[in-house]
Amino acid sequence: MMPKTVFPLPPSLAARLLASAFLLSSAMPAPAQITPEPSPPKDILAANLDTSVDPAVDFYTYANGGWLARNPIPASEAAWGIGNLVRDELLAKLRSINEEAAKAGAAEGSEQRKIGDFWATAMDEAKADAAGLAPLSKELAMIDSIETVGGVLDASFALRSLMVETFCAVSVGQDEKQSDLMSVHIWQGGLGLPERDFYFNPEKGTAKVRQEYSAHLTRMLVLLGRADDDARKASDKVMELETALAKASRKLEDLRDPGANYHKMTPGGLTEKHTPLIVWQDRLAAMSLRPDSVIVGQPEFFTELDRLLKETSLPVLKDYLRLRLVSTYAPYMGKAWEHEDFAFTGKILSGQKEPQPRWKRVLEAQEFAMGMMLGKIFVKEYFPEREKRRYAELVEHVRGAFRERIEKLDWMSDATKAKAREKLDKLAVKVGYPDRWKDQSALVVGTDSWCGNMMLAARWQFADMISKFAKPVDRTEWEMTPQTYNAYYQPSNNEIVLPAAIFSVPGMKDSALDDAMVYGYAAASTIGHEITHGFDDEGRKFDAAGNLKDWWTEEDGTRFQKRAAVMVAQYDAIQPLPGLSINGEASLGENLADLGGVQLALDAFKKTEQFRKGESIGGFTPVQRFFLGYTYAWIYKDREENLRAKLLSDVHAPPHWRVNVPLSNIPEFHEAFGIKPGQPMWRSPESQVKVW
């Protein structure tokens, strides 16, 4: 499993991955028996329908097509959907918190003062322009002074304190095989494009991205003062270096095997066998790390890295370091840097027509810098205790449904079932916000520049990560803030973490949502999904204590793999863009979790009063509303550029198929919407994915 690393580009509050509006097939009239009755506007599920589409042909578009037709992607966005609406509501609340902090005149060093100073400084565009490259002057001078490969390595490791990833990734995190131990992880990395396949995929749009990336590097070097022709030649050489690093990197799907990416060795052994140029014991000691062993993800990458360091000319290595540094901090600098960063990452990679407003970009950067400080205020004002109780109880309903499913499995032995129940029972659950807030009192926030404050935040984050080495694992810590619209399963802790914002429905109060909607939207797409991650192709390799350990019988492991292979084939057959298919192997874990989440939540929903009563709302039965509620969670549409980037670098399938594929594998869905053999949303019992 890839170790968690922190990067200075802040996570988006719209962290749910956005989706494609590509239609699976031509529309057909909806069957009369499921045409909804006229419903009041407050019924958001009925309001989103496109009844010109047959749900048996393309359920995603039937359920969401009305919304998609009414809501074009704004010029400032790469995609648009429910997650964006939630994000905008969240950002408005966070902006209010910041504006109040900025005018409060709070005491120096207080959290409110830090929030206010960060906001006011980052919002000052003139100050950013005046600062120019000054915040990075020390680091750029360090790179300029390099005279040897050893100096290149000195600079590379020095830049890590600013969370600038050069050549590879180094982090401190839980040891996959000893979850109570914080170990040093060393992983492939150092690429400027999102993932290795961007450097090689022959698809026309991807080839254009490569060309535009090289031109972007040229313009960045010009901004650093290089002449046009010199900058163009230099960028070509840097592109050659990055392509060589990419060629040595493992593919996205190959990174999903935690056992194959776990190689424990001494720092000296890593140096001797793979990187004679990098004396890891000394390099780590300079980072205040003195481990007896390190966990290397991809040893062959480091063998090639050592060769590249030896054979690449010094000017190219220095240009590579300069570009990695300025690319990291360009979004927080003056207009010229902001514009160039947007010209590539915004327009070319994501398809945005114009940048997001500055205040939104500031708030998203602030999530990285001091998100937990904001979280304390956010949950007090916007996440009442009754909502936390509702969703904590919902977790237990879904957990109970999974326990019952394990008992009924006909392909799993009693021995493996006992281990599965143990893991499920020991699954830790975090809902809403941390019980203990992270101490950020040592974080310094200045008033000189936005870029300077992001550098200060990066140094604090880096120091915090390094400080965890050789200390007891803090299992109370959260890796997401409460105001993050996302959730996760952490295998080393065997826990699911559900931030307060993930339960938000735009424009609706939680008390107004019926159980069918909630069980589909929250229990299926999030709670059941994250629980299933503990038992997907990757999570299943960790035991109840969070250790990478095979607790399956050999026969059961083989049966699981055979059943999972059916899902790989289903997704491999889908081509959202001409020449680009969904990677069924890379997305397998998410796809299994999607299917499992719907199945578990549906089982739990069948025990509710709403299900038992069977009364229709908006013309739909409770079970139909459940499936519509799940589909509502994935209302998104992507620009082509953004969709391409996801297909090459994301382990999630586009949401259109996160709906249609799992639902087509569920008999209750076929029954609820009258799906018949031969129709696109139908799968015969023998062709369905049957894992949990």
Side-chain angles (χ1 to χ4, degrees):
M1 172 166 293
M2 187 173 182
K4 178 181 182 290
T5 54
V6 181
F7 300 97
L9 296 178
S12 169
L13 291 178
R16 273 186 194 269
L17 292 163
L18 308 182
S20 166
F22 179 81
L23 301 183
L24 287 178
S25 57
S26 59
M28 293 176 60
Q33 69 270 24
I34 59 169
T35 300
E37 301 167 1
S39 56
K42 66 179 180 180
D43 183 4
I44 56 176
L45 298 181
N48 290 332
L49 300 176
D50 179 352
T51 56
S52 71
V53 177
D54 186 345
V57 172
D58 179 3
F59 188 76
Y60 177 87
T61 304
Y62 165 75
N64 295 338
W67 190 97
L68 294 168
R70 295 190 304 270
N71 292 274
I73 302 175
S76 63
E77 302 294 334
W80 196 245
I82 292 301
N84 300 85
L85 299 185
V86 173
R87 183 196 65 172
D88 279 358
E89 290 185 358
L90 292 168
L91 290 178
K93 295 170 182 176
L94 295 173
R95 181 175 186 171
S96 176
I97 291 171
N98 271 272
E99 289 175 339
E100 290 179 12
K103 64 185 180 183
E108 187 77 30
S110 67
E111 291 191 348
Q112 190 176 32
R113 178 64 174 270
K114 291 178 181 180
I115 292 170
D117 283 352
F118 185 96
W119 169 260
T121 302
M123 287 298 293
D124 192 333
E125 190 170 350
K127 184 174 286 189
D129 284 336
L133 274 171
L136 302 178
S137 59
K138 180 180 177 181
E139 287 73 26
L140 289 169
M142 172 183 65
I143 296 170
D144 289 342
S145 68
I146 293 173
E147 296 181 350
T148 65
V149 174
V152 170
L153 291 171
D154 290 341
S156 171
F157 279 86
L159 291 175
R160 292 176 193 280
S161 66
L162 289 173
M163 295 299 197
V164 178
E165 184 189 283
T166 58
F167 301 120
C168 64
V170 180
S171 63
V172 173
Q174 284 170 273
D175 188 314
E176 286 84 355
K177 293 188 176 181
Q178 293 177 269
S179 64
D180 59 347
L181 179 67
M182 298 296 285
S183 295
V184 175
H185 293 77
I186 302 175
W187 199 265
Q188 68 184 39
L191 304 181
L193 289 171
E195 206 275 328
R196 74 171 301 282
D197 283 358
F198 272 91
Y199 293 85
F200 308 112
N201 195 292
E203 185 263 337
K204 183 178 178 180
T206 309
K208 180 182 177 182
V209 169
R210 286 194 291 274
Q211 293 173 352
E212 293 287 352
Y213 178 57
S214 183
H216 165 65
L217 295 181
T218 298
R219 293 191 296 270
M220 294 287 268
L221 288 171
V222 170
L223 286 174
L224 281 169
R226 303 282 275 277
D228 290 354
D229 188 56
D230 179 43
R232 186 163 45 252
K233 292 176 181 177
S235 67
D236 287 343
K237 293 294 184 181
V238 171
M239 189 67 176
E240 288 179 16
L241 174 59
E242 288 193 19
T243 302
L245 289 171
K247 186 176 181 181
S249 302
R250 293 186 185 177
K251 294 182 177 181
L252 190 63
E253 58 267 30
D254 295 330
L255 298 176
R256 285 198 51 77
D257 185 340
N261 290 277
Y262 182 100
H263 305 272
K264 182 171 281 191
M265 57 186 75
T266 65
L270 175 58
T271 297
E272 180 181 353
K273 295 179 182 179
H274 300 285
T275 58
L277 278 179
I278 307 175
V279 181
W280 283 99
Q281 188 170 0
D282 295 343
R283 295 297 176 185
L284 294 174
M287 298 167 64
S288 300
L289 296 171
R290 293 176 175 79
D292 295 327
S293 61
V294 294
I295 299 169
V296 181
Q298 306 78 27
E300 74 282 0
F301 173 86
F302 292 92
T303 302
E304 180 64 7
L305 172 60
D306 193 79
R307 185 190 70 79
L308 290 170
L309 289 169
K310 291 175 183 174
E311 298 181 4
T312 304
S313 69
L314 198 60
V316 174
L317 294 173
K318 291 170 70 172
D319 282 337
Y320 167 79
L321 293 177
R322 292 184 183 103
L323 287 166
R324 297 304 301 134
L325 172 63
V326 296
S327 294
T328 298
Y329 287 96
Y332 320 117
M333 291 159 56
K335 289 189 188 73
W337 292 97
E338 283 185 12
H339 290 171
E340 180 51 42
D341 176 73
F342 175 76
F344 179 70
T345 60
K347 286 186 177 179
I348 300 302
L349 277 183
S350 301
Q352 292 170 254
K353 306 302 181 185
E354 62 186 42
Q356 290 185 343
R358 188 179 187 89
W359 68 271
K360 289 187 177 182
R361 291 183 281 124
V362 168
L363 289 176
E364 292 191 349
Q366 193 180 41
E367 274 294 287
F368 166 79
M370 55 183 66
M372 284 299 180
M373 287 188 196
L374 291 165
K376 292 180 188 178
I377 304 171
F378 174 81
V379 297
K380 286 181 181 178
E381 297 187 13
Y382 302 111
F383 191 64
E385 186 63 28
R386 65 177 179 275
E387 289 184 27
K388 182 173 182 176
R389 286 196 302 269
R390 180 181 193 178
Y391 291 103
E393 291 172 0
L394 192 55
V395 171
E396 295 312 313
H397 296 328
V398 176
R399 190 202 305 252
F402 201 177
R403 192 177 292 113
E404 292 176 3
R405 276 197 169 254
I406 291 171
E407 293 301 325
K408 296 176 182 177
L409 292 176
D410 60 4
W411 60 268
M412 182 179 281
S413 68
D414 289 342
T416 304
K417 283 182 179 181
K419 294 291 186 180
R421 286 194 302 270
E422 178 189 11
K423 181 170 185 178
L424 181 63
D425 290 343
K426 290 186 177 180
L427 177 77
V429 179
K430 296 174 180 175
V431 176
Y433 49 87
D435 294 328
R436 183 173 63 83
W437 294 96
K438 194 169 190 65
D439 179 9
Q440 286 192 281
S441 58
L443 172 63
V444 176
V445 177
T447 57
D448 291 336
S449 71
W450 185 10
C451 181
N453 278 336
M454 292 304 290
M455 295 171 75
L456 288 169
R459 292 188 191 280
W460 184 90
Q461 295 281 6
F462 179 81
D464 180 64
M465 177 184 70
I466 296 298
S467 72
K468 297 174 184 178
F469 178 70
K471 291 182 180 178
V473 173
D474 181 4
R475 296 183 188 269
T476 70
E477 189 169 9
W478 284 49
E479 296 177 4
M480 288 179 180
T481 67
Q483 62 272 23
T484 300
Y485 186 60
N486 206 345
Y488 64 92
Y489 171 75
Q490 219 286 20
S492 293
N493 284 342
N494 188 28
E495 68 177 6
I496 61 170
V497 181
L498 309 168
I502 191 58
F503 307 116
S504 302
V505 175
M508 298 289 290
K509 293 183 177 180
D510 186 76
S511 58
L513 304 176
D514 63 295
D515 276 345
M517 168 74 177
V518 169
Y519 273 78
Y521 178 74
S525 71
T526 301
I527 296 171
H529 176 98
E530 299 304 338
I531 290 177
T532 305
H533 268 318
F535 303 85
D536 68 17
D537 64 309
E538 189 173 12
R540 77 178 189 88
K541 297 177 181 179
F542 292 79
D543 66 13
N547 294 313
L548 182 56
K549 183 179 180 181
D550 191 358
W551 48 270
W552 296 64
T553 68
E554 183 177 352
E555 295 80 6
D556 289 342
T558 299
R559 294 187 190 106
F560 176 94
Q561 292 169 348
K562 183 177 180 180
R563 289 165 183 265
V566 179
M567 177 154 279
V568 172
Q570 289 183 5
Y571 279 90
D572 276 345
I574 300 168
Q575 195 173 88
L577 289 175
L580 285 179
S581 299
I582 297 175
N583 188 329
E585 286 285 354
S587 60
L588 177 58
E590 297 300 330
N591 299 333
L592 289 172
D594 284 339
L595 176 58
V598 176
Q599 290 172 319
L600 300 181
L602 180 58
D603 286 354
F605 175 62
K606 289 177 181 178
K607 297 182 179 182
T608 65
E609 182 179 1
Q610 183 179 4
F611 175 81
R612 289 193 296 270
K613 285 185 176 180
E615 296 174 355
S616 293
I617 299 176
F620 292 102
T621 69
V623 174
Q624 288 173 336
R625 287 184 65 78
F626 168 86
F627 288 116
L628 289 169
Y630 173 74
T631 307
Y632 176 86
W634 300 116
I635 298 180
Y636 293 102
K637 52 184 173 182
D638 276 298
R639 297 193 189 278
E640 180 179 315
E641 297 89 341
N642 203 49
L643 178 57
R644 175 178 292 106
K646 291 176 183 177
L647 290 171
L648 290 171
S649 62
D650 196 351
V651 296
H652 301 78
H656 195 127
W657 293 278
R658 296 185 73 170
V659 171
N660 281 3
V661 178
L663 296 194
S664 70
N665 283 283
I666 297 176
E668 291 96 330
F669 169 75
H670 295 160
E671 181 181 354
F673 285 92
I675 313 298
K676 304 299 183 185
Q679 295 178 313
M681 291 299 301
W682 167 268
R683 291 188 194 273
S684 63
E686 59 271 16
S687 67
Q688 294 168 11
V689 178
K690 297 178 181 178
V691 180
W692 301 107

